[in-house]
């Protein structure tokens, strides 16, 4: 794959403070890179820097191998498309809004008409062509905003939390439509979001930002399955992070002592090393307390007491304690009912050695 | 009450019989104030935009100056312009004192801060990220400013109305730098002052009625444009 854009030791200051500090980040041609991180982590600053709307105080950005500082800003910006969190449409018709960037570029009226109509149709808003932008719903406005960017046929599409202002059903429909569009177009995309599910839907590659720095880059599976720090682990939904020490190895599985328990965890860490054992709640299975664990299974079994139940849509988040190690499990409502879960109930919790992940401390 | 009734009758009479001096005064008022408003727009729109969008040292100080300028008393403007245009003044050699040009200069000084200030606040009312969005879809800086003006067209129209309103109705500066010379620098406001001082209330009322009608028609037109989309 050809590298389209890369950042090298890029620092960005705002109000005298360094708010972005990226040692290295590379975006390949045709890649969909999603930058995730909590609010205030510097994601939007990164995106605005990539759009050349904020300027690095140090470092280099390379665009097709050339120092971006040497490319005239307008020439560069006319190769990209930008969609922000709010649609920010102008007070005119839907058609004129989508035509905007094309008109800036001096595209002929015939071409403008063709491209605007084509993109309005692809985003399912052709019927709204003549409607004043201020009379659109949030979802419609964001579709128009996407059409405005995509009609430019950009080399790079920059998306700044484009779905965060939408209600859940509208967001889901638009995410699905955008996903299929982007797959079809093989367009290079950088999207920033704090929503992990949104990131998973669109990302080919994922970068995690914390405190203005990119702390991990990898496939979604890598980031979710093997976070590099307890902070990343927490952000990507790993709710159980247990400090422990590697005591040894048995049949390719690490034995990690956490409090009074020895957990079996897949990983490669030398003996005696302090680590964190990370576990996602959906990887924890709950059983009746009376159940006897099978001896052959490569599972960890712990006894615990339910301390809290928190319904989350079709699932229930179960906080467990009383065992030597605190755990969080995510079970279906049916399972919760089947196990008669309620605070105070004793259960057995199990998780596979391969489901846990170790981070060196 | 008789005085008002008589005055209004006289006003109607003057207008209907097409008194040439009245029409000349009216036309001159419109020309001077119209030109001063246009010049204020030409100066005020870019300066207001620069203050709204620019980030540079001394910006806040300039904004405070503009805000002060919006409340500048016309007589003070008249005094300043007089000092410059007086025969012994810095620009005395131009011989502009007591000319319509001097009145345009003074009125521009009154209207420009109004246009700058209202342009500034009109643009600042827009979502700050709109600039990013416009640049992000490939606008050049000029295209961006044009689109922002377009978005802020209603407040900008209000700036225009306020600018025109402030100068068509002012008297102090016009009197001081124009001198109220018959057939040359006499405008509606200076004529009203003169007729009132002479006790010619009927003529003063007639001229006031014209001034009010003029201001009303101009503002009605602007308001109609401004409110059209509502």
């Amino acid at each position: 794959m050809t590298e389209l854009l890369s950042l090298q030791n890029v620092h960005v200051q705002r109000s005298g403070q360094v708010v972005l500090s990226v040692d290295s980040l590379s975006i390949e041609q045709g890649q969909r890179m999603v930058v995730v991180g909590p609010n205030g982590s510097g994601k939007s600053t990164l995106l605005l820097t990539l759009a050349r709307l904020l300027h690095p105080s140090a470092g280099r950005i390379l665009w097709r191998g050339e120092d971006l500082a040497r490319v005239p800003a307008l020439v560069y910006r006319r190769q990209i498309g930008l969609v922000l969190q709010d649609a920010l449409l102008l007070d005119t018709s839907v058609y004129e809004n989508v035509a905007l960037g094309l008109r800036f570029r001096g595209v002929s009226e015939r071409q403008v008409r063709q491209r605007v109509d084509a993109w309005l149709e692809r985003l399912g808003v052709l019927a709204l062509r003549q409607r004043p932008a201020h009379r659109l719903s949030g979802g419609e406005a964001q579709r128009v905003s996407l059409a405005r960017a995509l009609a430019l046929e950009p080399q790079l599409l920059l998306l700044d939390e484009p779905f965060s202002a939408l209600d859940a059903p509208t967001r889901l429909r638009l995410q699905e439509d955008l996903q299929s569009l982007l797959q079809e177009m093989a367009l290079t995309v950088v999207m920033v979001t704090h929503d992990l599910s949104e990131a998973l839907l669109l990302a080919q590659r994922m970068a995690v930002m914390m405190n203005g720095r990119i702390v991990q880059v990898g496939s979604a599976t890598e980031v979710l399955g093997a976070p590099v720090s307890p902070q990343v682990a927490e952000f990507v939904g790993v709710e159980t992070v247990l400090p422990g020490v590697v005591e040894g190895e048995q049949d390719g599985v690490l034995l990690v002592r956490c409090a009074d328990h020895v957990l079996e965890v897949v990983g490669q860490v030398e003996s005696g090393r302090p680590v964190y054992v990370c576990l996602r709640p959906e990887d924890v299975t709950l059983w009746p307390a009376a159940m006897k664990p099978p001896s052959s299974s490569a599972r960890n079994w712990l006894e615990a007491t339910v301390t809290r139940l928190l319904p989350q849509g079709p699932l229930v988040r179960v906080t467990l304690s009383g065992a030597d190690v605190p755990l969080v499990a995510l079970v279906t409502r049916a399972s919760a009912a089947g196990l008669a879960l309620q605070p105070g109930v004793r259960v057995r919790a199990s998780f596979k050695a391969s489901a846990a992940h170790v981070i060196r401390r | 009450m008789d005085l008002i009734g008589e005055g209004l009758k006289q006003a109607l009479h003057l207008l209907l019989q097409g008194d040439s001096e009245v029409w000349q005064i009216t036309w001159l008022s419109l020309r001077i104030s119209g030109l001063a408003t246009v010049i204020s727009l030409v100066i005020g729109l870019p300066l207001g935009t620069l203050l709204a969008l620019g980030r540079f040292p001394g910006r806040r100080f300039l904004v405070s100056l503009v805000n002060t300028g919006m409340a500048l008393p016309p007589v003070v403007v008249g005094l300043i312009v007089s000092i410059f245009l007086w025969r012994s003044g810095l620009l005395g050699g131009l011989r502009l004192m007591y000319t319509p040009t001097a009145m345009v200069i003074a009125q521009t000084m009154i209207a420009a801060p109004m246009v700058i200030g209202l342009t500034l606040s009109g643009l600042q009312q827009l979502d700050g990220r709109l600039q990013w969005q416009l640049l992000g879809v490939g606008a050049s800086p000029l295209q961006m400013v044009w689109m922002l003006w377009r978005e802020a067209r209603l407040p900008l129209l209000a700036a225009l109305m306020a600018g025109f309103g402030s100068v068509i109705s002012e008297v102090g500066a016009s009197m001081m730098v124009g001198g109220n010379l018959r057939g040359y620098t006499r405008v509606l406001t200076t004529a009203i002052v003169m007729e009132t001082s002479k006790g010619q209330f009927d003529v003063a009322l007639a001229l006031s009625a014209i001034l009010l009608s003029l201001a009303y028609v101009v503002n009605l037109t602007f308001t109609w444009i401004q409110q059209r989309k509502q």
Side-chain angles (χ1 to χ4, degrees):
Chain A
M1 267 189 163
T2 325
E3 186 182 81
L4 185 68
L5 192 68
S6 75
L7 284 79
Q8 299 173 351
N9 300 312
V10 169
H11 290 240
V12 177
Q13 293 190 347
R14 288 176 95 170
S15 308
Q17 280 199 320
V18 177
V19 288
L20 185 72
S21 177
V22 177
D23 297 337
S24 166
L25 182 68
S26 172
I27 295 141
E28 309 285 338
Q29 181 105 41
Q31 189 176 66
R32 292 195 305 277
M33 164 77 83
V34 177
V35 182
V36 292
N39 289 333
S41 60
K43 305 182 301 290
S44 293
T45 303
L46 173 67
L47 200 85
L48 294 171
T49 306
L50 292 181
R52 282 193 74 175
L53 295 168
L54 294 177
H55 305 288
S57 53
R60 287 202 316 164
I61 301 175
L62 299 181
W63 170 251
R64 299 183 187 285
E66 189 183 353
D67 190 344
L68 193 56
R70 294 191 189 161
V71 182
L74 189 61
V75 172
Y76 171 70
R77 286 206 207 100
R78 288 193 174 171
Q79 296 178 67
I80 66 165
L82 176 69
V83 177
L84 297 176
Q85 191 173 341
D86 291 317
L88 295 168
L89 300 177
L90 297 181
D91 185 14
T92 179
S93 68
V94 164
Y95 178 88
E96 286 303 323
N97 268 288
V98 178
L100 192 66
L102 297 169
R103 291 205 206 284
F104 288 153
R105 288 158 174 77
V107 174
S108 76
E109 207 47 42
R110 196 174 60 86
Q111 279 271 317
V112 169
R113 202 165 40 247
Q114 274 176 5
R115 277 158 78 170
V116 170
D117 285 350
W119 279 103
L120 285 175
E121 186 163 18
R122 287 185 84 170
L123 281 149
V125 281
L126 186 60
L128 307 174
R129 194 175 186 270
Q130 296 307 329
R131 186 175 291 185
H134 67 263
R135 282 180 42 207
L136 298 176
S137 69
E140 289 166 347
Q142 204 54 285
R143 281 176 187 271
V144 173
S145 173
L146 281 164
R148 175 173 62 186
L150 289 167
L152 304 172
E153 293 169 8
Q155 308 283 311
L156 171 66
L157 180 65
L158 301 171
L159 305 170
D160 185 3
E161 310 225 15
F163 313 111
S164 63
L166 307 178
D167 59 71
T170 310
R171 183 166 62 226
L172 197 63
R173 273 198 301 277
L174 188 51
Q175 282 170 345
E176 284 169 359
D177 287 356
L178 185 65
Q179 186 201 35
S180 49
L181 260 179
L182 294 180
Q183 269 172 357
E184 195 184 306
M185 292 171 71
L187 185 64
T188 313
V189 180
V190 177
M191 181 173 91
V192 303
T193 179
H194 67 272
D195 184 335
L196 205 60
S197 59
E198 197 169 288
L200 294 172
L201 194 73
L202 294 172
Q204 283 175 328
R205 206 160 170 76
M206 199 185 265
V208 185
M209 278 200 87
M210 298 263 163
N211 302 318
R213 292 180 168 276
I214 289 185
V215 290
Q216 187 169 4
V217 182
S219 68
T221 316
E222 283 165 358
V223 173
L224 260 62
V228 294
S229 69
Q231 291 78 22
V232 175
E234 189 188 347
F235 180 75
V236 299
V238 174
E239 293 191 42
T240 304
V241 179
L242 306 166
V245 177
V246 178
E247 286 199 333
E249 194 188 325
Q250 194 177 46
D251 304 330
V253 174
L254 295 177
L255 302 174
V256 182
R257 173 162 295 279
C258 298
D260 289 339
H261 267 276
V262 176
L263 303 177
E264 294 182 2
V265 183
V266 173
Q268 286 188 326
V269 178
E270 57 277 21
S271 273
R273 178 91 193 203
V275 292
Y276 290 109
V277 175
C278 302
L279 193 57
R280 302 186 68 82
E282 58 269 30
D283 290 329
V284 178
T285 312
L286 300 183
W287 309 86
M291 184 190 160
K292 258 187 128 47
S295 56
S296 59
S297 168
R299 277 181 178 272
N300 294 282
W301 290 87
L302 303 161
E303 280 189 42
T305 308
V306 174
T307 57
R308 197 164 167 230
L309 296 172
L310 190 67
Q312 287 193 335
L315 301 173
V316 179
R317 181 173 304 276
V318 186
T319 309
L320 304 155
S321 76
D324 302 324
V325 288
L327 286 175
V328 180
L330 202 57
V331 299
T332 62
R333 277 175 184 268
S335 298
L339 290 164
L341 294 182
Q342 53 178 302
V345 167
R346 297 281 297 168
V347 289
R348 275 184 192 279
S350 77
F351 61 90
K352 286 183 179 173
S354 58
H357 159 67
V358 284
I359 299 173
R360 285 179 167 82
R361 271 202 277 166
Chain B
M1 288 308 285
D2 274 359
L3 207 61
I4 294 174
E6 275 304 305
L8 290 176
K9 243 165 69 185
Q10 173 71 6
L12 206 60
H13 181 66
L14 279 173
L15 290 174
L16 290 179
Q17 75 173 19
D19 185 289
S20 65
E21 191 178 355
V22 170
W23 285 115
Q24 187 271 328
I25 290 172
T26 307
W27 175 232
L28 186 67
S29 296
L30 264 181
R31 267 172 50 209
I32 289 177
S33 297
L35 187 59
T37 308
V38 169
I39 296 171
S40 303
L41 264 188
V42 171
I43 298 169
L45 216 50
L47 284 182
T49 306
L50 192 68
L51 286 176
L53 309 182
R55 294 288 173 268
F56 50 86
R59 181 183 161 275
R60 282 189 185 182
F61 173 69
L62 290 177
V63 172
S64 70
L65 275 190
V66 169
N67 288 337
T68 311
M70 285 171 79
L72 206 58
V75 284
V76 175
V77 174
L79 174 67
I80 295 166
V81 176
S82 295
I83 290 170
F84 275 89
L85 299 184
W86 204 255
R87 201 171 298 171
S88 55
L90 205 61
L91 303 172
L94 297 174
R95 296 186 172 279
L96 292 176
M97 197 62 187
Y98 303 128
T99 65
T101 308
M103 295 166 77
V104 171
I105 293 170
Q107 291 197 357
T108 302
M109 283 180 64
I110 295 166
M114 201 83 79
V115 175
I116 297 171
L118 293 176
T119 300
L120 166 68
S121 67
L123 289 175
Q124 282 186 331
Q125 276 167 26
L126 297 176
D127 191 319
R129 295 165 305 164
L130 191 56
Q131 290 175 55
W132 282 344
Q133 182 63 77
L134 288 167
L135 293 172
V137 291
S140 68
L142 278 181
Q143 285 170 331
M144 179 195 76
V145 167
W146 179 252
M147 295 317 292
L148 292 177
W149 282 354
R150 208 176 159 279
E151 279 302 283
R153 59 192 178 277
L154 298 187
L156 294 188
L157 201 58
L160 184 73
M161 285 160 65
F164 181 77
S166 66
V167 289
I168 191 76
S169 58
E170 78 79 30
V171 63
S174 294
M175 188 68 99
M176 288 165 84
V177 303
N180 192 33
L181 303 177
R182 187 178 186 185
Y184 186 48
T185 58
R186 182 165 297 164
V187 289
L188 286 166
T189 50
T190 57
I192 292 166
V193 171
M194 185 192 71
E195 296 298 344
T196 307
S197 66
K198 279 161 56 183
Q200 304 272 13
F201 295 119
D202 49 354
V203 183
L205 270 172
L207 294 169
S208 300
I210 295 171
L211 180 61
L212 276 176
S213 309
L214 203 62
Y216 182 71
V217 167
V218 172
N219 277 296
L220 189 70
T221 311
F222 289 147
T223 309
W224 178 75
I225 298 170
Q226 196 185 47
Q227 300 296 317
R228 201 168 36 168
K229 75 173 203 129
Q230 309 292 330

